[in-house]
């Protein structure tokens, strides 16, 4: 069944979905009114209807002032209750796509399908529903399944918890939650995510004057706001080591061992995957286990945007009145993001050079996550599925990204076994230009998912 329907059903419908430019609310102020969100929802609902899965019910949860949530509910052969999570919204398109491709121009080159939302996370409804159909075609019994598709994950999932609570009569209390918004270390195995980092982000605005002023007149009198902002950030991140000790936590020994194991598998690919320019070195490049911990267990700072900095082609000889930087800080699993934000605020708003005005605007927080020890049954199901389709057991590794929903779900359902996995493997470029999905791996992934679901009955 899967072999016959993979290209014509899964790849075809995912390609059509890529053509819909339904960006996440943070990057589309008309998200709720321009019809693109509804177009995406309608397309997924129509796909489900056309599969004709017996007993499948569609729910679209709408509440005033909130984004909608789509749920597909399938009755099961046992009391086991499985929630599967994905999202329909997409990151902004960005520039720099390779020739012949584009964010809404689905294009297959080699083993890769290019397009925004291909692997993050547009594949989910098509993969899950086809996996269910495949399992039924094999005569397998399935647990009760609720596929939950939110529509603002890339904007911080602000409405997720209220919508989950409003949908409690549909979702129930999950025995298992399978989050498909995660990744794969490589394409040779099924991979579980063991940890995810949290996130603190904010706009750091440093202001010095009411208006910009000619640098020939004011230079030497008016302090440079960008340099002040930079000096404030140096209080958080050591400019030499790039460590952020303020937000670090002790790394458990088991994860230090994981770092050694995973880095021995990935080897130099750990560095090559970042596509450094010739001569540029990664932090801790000579110690891959430490590099792995840097990207999964240690905080890291990035400047993801700036305001009031004109392009160089329009840069006049002026001292600007202010600088605004979007600061993003990844946090170790287990560090409370709201507390981290307060620590950062306390450090960078005191004793400011030249008494410049400093503001932290539009803050955003999300906690990291650690996977609990899985039951013997679940471990066996995952290993059997990986053996069947990849000829090796299921692996596990940490990812430096964030899915705050998992921490929220773990707190809400403490007895639920949460499994985070997905197709975000090497060179998928999620959030960046040239987002792709690896088609051969995803075919095996669908097969494995068709095997896992009956195993959870």
């Amino acid at each position: 069944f899967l072999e016959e329907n993979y290209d014509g059903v899964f790849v075809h419908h995912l390609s059509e979905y890529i053509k819909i430019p339904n960006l996440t609310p943070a990057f589309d102020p008309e998200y709720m009114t321009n019809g693109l969100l509804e177009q995406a929802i309608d397309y997924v609902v129509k796909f489900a209807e056309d599969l004709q899965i017996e007993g499948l019910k569609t729910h679209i949860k709408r509440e005033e002032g909130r984004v909608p949530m789509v749920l597909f509910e399938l009755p099961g052969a046992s009391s086991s209750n499985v929630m599967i999570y994905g999202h329909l919204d997409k990151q902004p398109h960005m520039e720099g796509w390779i020739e012949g491709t584009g964010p809404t121009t689905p294009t297959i080159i080699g083993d890769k399908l290019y397009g925004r939302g291909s692997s993050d996370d547009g594949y989910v409804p098509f993969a899950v529903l086809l996996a269910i159909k495949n399992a039924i075609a094999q005569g397998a019994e399935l647990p009760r399944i609720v596929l939950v598709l939110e529509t603002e994950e890339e904007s911080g999932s602000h409405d997720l918890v209220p919508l989950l609570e409003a949908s409690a009569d549909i979702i129930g209390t999950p025995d298992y939650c399978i989050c498909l918004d995660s990744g794969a270390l490589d394409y040779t195995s099924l991979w579980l995510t063991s940890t995810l980092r949290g996130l603190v982000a904010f706009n750091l605005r440093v202001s010095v004057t009411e208006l910009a002023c000619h640098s020939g007149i004011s230079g030497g009198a008016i302090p440079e706001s960008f340099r002040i902002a930079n000096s404030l950030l140096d209080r958080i991140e050591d400019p030499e080591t790039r460590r952020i000790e303020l937000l670090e936590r002790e790394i458990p020994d088991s994860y230090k061992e994981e770092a050694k194991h995973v880095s021995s598998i990935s080897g130099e690919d750990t560095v090559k995957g970042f596509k450094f320019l010739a001569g540029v070195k990664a932090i801790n490049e000579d110690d891959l286990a430490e590099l792995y911990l840097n990207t999964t267990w240690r905080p890291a700072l990035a400047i993801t945007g700036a305001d009031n900095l004109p392009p160089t082609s329009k840069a006049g000889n002026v001292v600007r009145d202010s600088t605004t930087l979007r600061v993003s800080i990844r946090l170790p699993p287990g560090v409370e993001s709201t507390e981290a934000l307060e620590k950062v605020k306390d450090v960078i708003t005191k004793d400011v050079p030249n008494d410049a005005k400093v503001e932290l605007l539009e803050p955003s927080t999300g906690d990291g996550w650690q996977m609990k020890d899985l039951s013997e049954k679940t471990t066996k199901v995952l290993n059997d599925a990986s053996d069947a389709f990849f000829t090796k057991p299921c692996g596990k590794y940490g990812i430096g990204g964030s899915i705050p929903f998992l921490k929220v779900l773990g707190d809400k359902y403490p007895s639920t076994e949460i499994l985070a996995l997905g197709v975000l493997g090497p060179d998928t470029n999620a959030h960046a230009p040239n987002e792709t999905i690896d088609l051969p791996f995803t075919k095996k992934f669908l097969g494995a998912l068709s095997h896992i679901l009956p195993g959870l009955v």
Side-chain angles (χ1 to χ4, degrees):
F1 178 87
L2 185 58
E3 191 68 38
E4 294 174 354
N5 289 276
Y6 185 69
D7 291 335
V9 178
F10 175 78
V11 176
H12 168 73
H13 284 282
L14 176 56
S15 297
E16 291 300 307
Y17 185 77
I18 287 170
K19 295 178 182 179
I20 305 172
N22 56 307
L23 302 187
T24 194
F27 299 98
D28 183 359
E30 298 178 354
Y31 184 74
M32 294 290 287
T33 59
N34 60 18
L36 298 175
L37 169 61
E38 294 304 321
Q39 187 180 347
I41 291 173
D42 290 347
Y43 190 82
V44 170
V45 169
K46 179 68 162 52
F47 173 80
E49 292 173 350
D50 289 347
L51 280 182
Q52 298 182 345
I53 298 173
E54 185 177 355
L56 185 72
K57 296 180 181 178
T58 301
H59 308 270
I60 302 178
K61 183 63 66 172
R62 301 181 189 273
E63 294 200 336
E64 187 174 352
R66 302 192 187 281
V67 298
M69 174 185 284
V70 183
L71 304 97
F72 295 100
E73 177 189 5
L74 184 74
S78 72
S79 61
S80 181
N81 188 18
V82 179
M83 173 181 168
I84 305 177
Y85 168 85
H87 65 85
L88 298 179
D89 55 316
K90 303 172 185 177
Q91 280 281 322
H93 291 164
M94 306 187 74
E95 297 180 356
W97 291 74
I98 65 173
E99 187 176 355
T101 73
T104 58
T105 307
T107 308
I108 296 176
I109 301 177
D111 289 338
K112 311 289 188 183
L113 170 61
Y114 285 74
R116 178 61 83 224
S118 54
S119 55
D120 182 26
D121 208 18
Y123 83 99
V124 170
F126 311 107
V128 171
L129 294 170
L130 194 60
I132 289 172
K133 186 76 172 180
N134 182 44
I136 293 172
Q138 312 306 317
E141 290 189 336
L142 291 168
R144 182 178 186 271
I145 298 171
V146 179
L147 171 59
V148 175
L149 301 170
E150 74 160 316
T151 59
E152 59 155 1
E153 190 275 340
E154 303 291 8
S155 297
S157 300
H158 304 292
D159 291 340
L160 180 60
V161 172
L163 288 171
L164 288 175
E165 292 174 349
S167 305
D169 58 325
I170 301 169
I171 298 171
T173 300
D175 297 297
Y176 307 91
C177 174
I178 302 176
C179 171
L180 294 179
D181 190 25
S182 198
L185 180 68
D186 59 28
Y187 296 128
T188 68
S189 174
L190 189 65
W191 288 94
L192 271 181
T193 303
S194 60
T195 57
L196 290 156
R197 287 190 289 188
L199 178 70
V200 163
F202 54 89
N203 291 343
L204 172 62
R205 178 183 294 169
V206 177
S207 305
V208 290
T209 59
E210 294 180 3
L211 298 171
C213 189
H214 192 300
S215 62
I217 299 171
S218 65
I222 300 177
E224 171 51 56
S225 59
F226 179 88
R227 299 293 291 138
I228 293 175
N230 195 51
S231 69
L232 296 176
L233 294 177
D234 282 346
R235 297 178 181 181
I236 303 170
E237 179 192 57
D238 187 301
E240 297 296 326
T241 66
R242 298 303 172 191
R243 293 282 288 270
I244 306 176
E245 295 186 4
L246 175 72
L247 303 176
E248 289 186 358
R249 61 162 290 196
E250 183 66 29
I251 302 173
D253 289 340
S254 61
Y255 290 99
K256 293 179 181 178
E257 291 302 313
E258 178 184 277
K260 294 176 183 177
H261 174 67
V262 172
S263 60
S264 71
I265 295 173
S266 55
E268 293 185 356
D269 288 342
T270 305
V271 176
K272 291 179 181 178
F274 297 121
K275 298 196 173 8
F276 284 100
L277 296 177
V280 180
K281 292 185 177 181
I283 302 170
N284 289 115
E285 182 172 314
D286 297 329
D287 189 334
L288 295 180
E290 283 298 304
L291 191 154
Y292 174 85
L293 292 172
N294 286 348
T295 60
T296 58
W297 269 93
R298 294 193 178 109
L301 184 150
I303 304 300
T304 59
D307 288 336
N308 205 31
L309 281 170
T312 55
S313 61
K314 298 180 180 180
N317 289 319
V318 298
V319 178
R320 294 167 300 102
D321 57 300
S322 67
T323 297
T324 301
L325 304 176
R326 185 64 180 176
V327 181
S328 173
I329 304 174
R330 297 289 174 175
L331 301 173
V335 170
E336 292 290 334
S337 57
T338 53
E339 293 180 8
L341 179 63
E342 289 304 310
K343 286 183 178 180
V344 169
K345 184 177 181 179
D346 184 62
V347 168
I348 66 176
T349 57
K350 290 182 177 179
D351 301 320
V352 177
N354 300 95
D355 291 328
K357 182 180 179 181
V358 175
E359 300 169 275
L360 268 67
L361 307 171
E362 299 182 36
S364 176
T365 60
D367 292 337
W369 174 77
Q370 288 176 251
M371 182 178 69
K372 296 186 298 188
D373 291 336
L374 300 178
S375 67
E376 290 185 10
K377 171 187 174 180
T378 304
T379 301
K380 184 178 186 304
V381 167
L382 293 167
N383 284 333
D384 287 350
S386 189
D387 278 330
F389 293 92
F390 296 95
T391 67
K392 61 170 64 174
C394 181
K396 67 175 183 176
Y397 77 116
I399 293 179
S402 304
I403 310 178
F405 154 69
L406 294 185
K407 175 65 163 55
V408 172
L409 189 79
D411 292 342
K412 185 174 178 60
Y413 304 119
S415 63
T416 299
E417 285 194 283
I418 300 176
L419 313 175
L421 58 163
V423 299
L424 292 167
D427 298 323
T428 48
N429 294 319
H431 294 206
N434 304 312
E435 180 181 340
T436 68
I437 186 170
D438 188 279
L439 295 176
F441 173 79
T442 305
K443 181 189 283 189
K444 293 180 180 179
F445 186 88
L446 261 69
L449 191 59
S450 300
H451 190 100
I452 291 168
L453 294 175
L456 299 179
V457 169

